[in-house]
Amino acid sequence: MKGWAGDADVERSGARAMTGHVTRTASGTPDRPYDEVDLSSRAFWSISMDEREKTFAVLRERGTITWHPPFEEQLLDDPDDHGFWAVTTYDDLVEVTKRHEDFLSGPGILMESLPAELVEAAQSIIGMDPPRHTKLRRLVAAAFTPKQMRRINDRIAANATMVVDNLITKAEAGGGSCDFVAECAELLPMHNINDIMGVPDGERQKAAHEMKVGTGWNDPELVGDTQEQVLMRMFQAMTYMHGLASSLAEARRKEPTDDLISSLALAEVDGEMLTDDEIGAFFVLLTIAGNDTTRQSTSHALRGLTDFPDQRAWLLGDLQDRVAPAVEEFVRWATPIMTFRRTAARDLEFRGAQITEGDKVVMFYSSANRDASRIDRPHELDLSRHPNPHISFGGGGIHHCLGNQLARTQLKALFTELLTRVPDITCGEPTLMPGNFFNVVKRMPCYLNK
């Protein structure tokens, strides 16, 4: 594969990373002490959303942003990682999002430090700044226009029917229950994203699994226990995805179709064709973002319908007309992406805090979506909520989620199909994956209750 990590590169990168965990001083520096509230430990990100929210509520009361130690037990010992600013209120998050000149995406979007090769291979436009971001986003945005969404609506509906067929079949074979994540939540976005990209059946299942590996550095079941195992497995996943994207792009240059890979393979930016690495990075980004966000929203939504039967009853009272506002509340409730990082482009003051050029600035979406100053009764699941100014798709600005309409369309199609055919479906306790980026439900039993 041209231009990206081969086995030797994997070994070298892994060796560079094996220098130990991040060490932290007790209080930062004399002029910038760390806040006493814990956002940096693995233990914090292993407790429930409700428990974490108690901590976020304390920070929102500060009326400013707060300074915290680096995330503990990172894969890389990064001597330049001195900590991060936590942006926990709704208004502050929106402000940071819109000031892309001051708060950059290019240096990385994760609060943790990962190998630069992995970051570059997976970020694409989400980790770019203008002017490059502007040109590439305009190119790929063509795949997500309302016109394009209308074009694939029938396909999304057909996939929703297929997925619910599968769920019912697997549950009936299992005595009325099965794993909702494996047999429903992760299947619909997998098929829809790969239909858009043009990935053939067979390869799409492998690609979806490899991207679960690529974002599963906190999950020993997927990537192993040691730093070396984790990094090696993640590099293998990225190598596979870039290889698949390159082979698809080569085929589409010879015989174009109407899929997104064809558009990328034949596109020009500033008179130059996109490289295989650029196509591969966007392929990885869309596979991760398109699969994980909808999978998590779907899983948390079913849990919400189970925990709040009055909300299920309201939704079933007029499913066709009420599913749209319900979807907005599903994605607020789930907040499938919990954090995004920016990096300060210069020394500046923000809400009375002195930020230094190069500082990490982390936006906590899971906190902002529970901010009572902008969300009325934020701790209640209210499917009729209107207005619903959640920021699960971003707080505006140049990085607002391109696939937001695709996500909404998928969730509408799936829950319309699911609640029409098995309206009494419920679920058990979810198995969650600790982590500070995706709000991951790994497994969750469901019961058809027929």
Side-chain angles (χ1 to χ4, degrees):
M1 187 173 71
K2 296 183 287 187
W4 206 70
D7 292 340
D9 294 313
V10 170
E11 293 173 5
R12 287 194 295 272
S13 297
R16 287 198 300 271
M18 300 303 120
T19 55
H21 297 317
V22 171
T23 56
R24 304 180 296 184
T25 59
S27 59
T29 59
D31 60 337
R32 187 189 287 181
Y34 293 134
D35 196 282
E36 70 274 12
V37 170
D38 174 27
L39 296 181
S40 303
S41 71
R42 195 168 297 277
F44 175 78
W45 293 99
S46 299
I47 60 178
S48 70
M49 293 170 59
D50 290 341
E51 288 298 310
R52 290 197 298 268
E53 166 53 23
K54 295 175 183 177
T55 296
F56 290 132
V58 170
L59 292 178
R60 289 195 298 269
E61 289 297 317
R62 297 275 201 271
T64 185
I65 61 177
T66 51
W67 179 244
H68 299 264
F71 188 75
E72 71 176 8
E73 298 182 12
Q74 299 191 47
L75 289 174
L76 292 182
D77 183 8
D78 183 356
D80 296 322
D81 188 355
H82 304 295
F84 61 87
W85 294 100
V87 181
T88 53
T89 71
Y90 186 105
D91 288 345
D92 286 354
L93 188 150
V94 170
E95 180 73 10
V96 169
T97 298
K98 292 181 177 179
R99 289 172 57 176
H100 62 267
E101 302 94 342
D102 290 332
F103 301 105
L104 305 176
S105 299
I109 61 169
L110 303 175
M111 64 186 290
E112 298 179 61
S113 296
L114 293 178
E117 298 92 336
L118 284 176
V119 173
E120 183 178 349
Q123 284 190 155
S124 186
I125 59 173
I126 205 169
M128 290 181 185
D129 299 301
R132 186 68 174 171
H133 169 271
T134 307
K135 295 169 182 174
L136 286 183
R137 182 180 170 99
R138 188 181 303 122
L139 171 64
V140 298
F144 299 100
T145 62
K147 180 179 179 181
Q148 288 292 79
M149 288 299 95
R150 289 192 294 272
R151 184 179 68 82
I152 65 171
N153 273 353
D154 289 346
R155 189 65 214 157
I156 292 173
N159 284 336
T161 299
M162 176 180 66
V163 166
V164 174
D165 284 345
N166 174 77
L167 176 72
I168 293 172
T169 299
K170 293 297 177 64
E172 289 177 343
S177 68
C178 65
D179 179 9
F180 181 75
V181 177
E183 305 303 343
C184 183
E186 68 181 21
L187 295 184
L188 183 65
M190 178 193 74
H191 285 299
N192 288 331
I193 291 297
N194 286 291
D195 282 348
I196 292 171
M197 296 293 285
V199 180
D201 200 17
E203 288 283 9
R204 58 183 58 184
Q205 289 81 359
K206 171 71 170 173
H209 176 74
E210 291 302 300
M211 285 302 87
K212 287 172 68 175
V213 170
T215 59
W217 59 88
N218 294 309
D219 188 350
E221 288 184 24
L222 284 172
V223 295
D225 295 302
T226 69
Q227 286 180 317
E228 184 175 3
Q229 288 174 331
V230 173
L231 284 167
M232 184 68 72
R233 190 63 188 90
M234 291 177 69
F235 271 106
Q236 288 171 347
M238 291 298 168
T239 301
Y240 167 80
M241 292 296 287
H242 274 250
L244 176 58
S246 293
S247 64
L248 291 171
E250 183 178 359
R252 296 303 190 274
R253 290 183 185 112
K254 297 174 182 176
E255 295 185 26
T257 61
D258 62 353
D259 57 50
L260 184 54
I261 288 288
S262 294
S263 299
L264 296 174
L266 300 174
E268 291 187 5
V269 178
D270 293 337
E272 297 181 358
M273 304 287 285
L274 295 179
T275 67
D276 281 358
D277 284 348
E278 289 172 323
I279 294 172
F282 184 74
F283 181 56
V284 170
L285 169 64
L286 186 57
T287 304
I288 291 174
N291 279 293
D292 267 280
T293 54
T294 302
R295 172 163 58 104
Q296 310 318 332
S297 295
T298 301
S299 300
H300 286 289
L302 181 60
R303 183 66 198 174
L305 292 174
T306 300
D307 289 344
F308 299 91
D310 60 320
Q311 293 301 301
R312 178 200 297 264
W314 177 85
L315 179 56
L316 289 174
D318 188 355
L319 182 58
Q320 291 295 328
D321 285 344
R322 294 176 178 176
V323 69
V327 161
E328 298 303 314
E329 183 71 345
F330 287 157
V331 295
R332 183 193 75 88
W333 191 251
T335 312
I337 296 178
M338 299 186 291
T339 64
F340 263 123
R341 166 194 152 198
R342 297 290 185 260
T343 301
R346 59 182 179 87
D347 293 352
L348 57 93
E349 180 181 328
F350 187 85
R351 300 292 187 261
Q354 297 297 323
I355 299 177
T356 301
E357 179 182 353
D359 282 353
K360 288 183 177 181
V361 180
V362 179
M363 300 177 288
F364 289 83
Y365 291 81
S366 45
S367 173
N369 267 340
R370 298 294 192 275
D371 188 342
S373 71
R374 289 293 178 264
I375 308 287
D376 185 41
R377 298 171 290 105
H379 300 100
E380 297 178 20
L381 180 72
D382 180 2
L383 301 185
S384 64
R385 187 181 299 278
H386 182 79
N388 193 342
H390 70 83
I391 48 176
S392 294
F393 295 121
I398 65 172
H399 290 285
H400 194 75
C401 177
L402 266 178
N404 66 88
Q405 291 304 323
L406 174 62
R408 290 179 167 104
T409 301
Q410 292 185 89
L411 290 167
K412 289 176 190 175
L414 179 59
F415 279 97
T416 298
E417 185 76 12
L418 186 67
L419 295 177
T420 297
R421 296 176 63 184
V422 281
D424 296 324
I425 186 173
T426 57
C427 68
E429 286 294 325
T431 299
L432 305 177
M433 186 180 82
N436 55 44
F437 189 55
F438 284 123
N439 191 10
V440 176
V441 178
K442 288 177 60 175
R443 290 179 291 273
M444 187 173 70
C446 69
Y447 312 98
L448 297 193
N449 300 319
K450 286 188 173 182

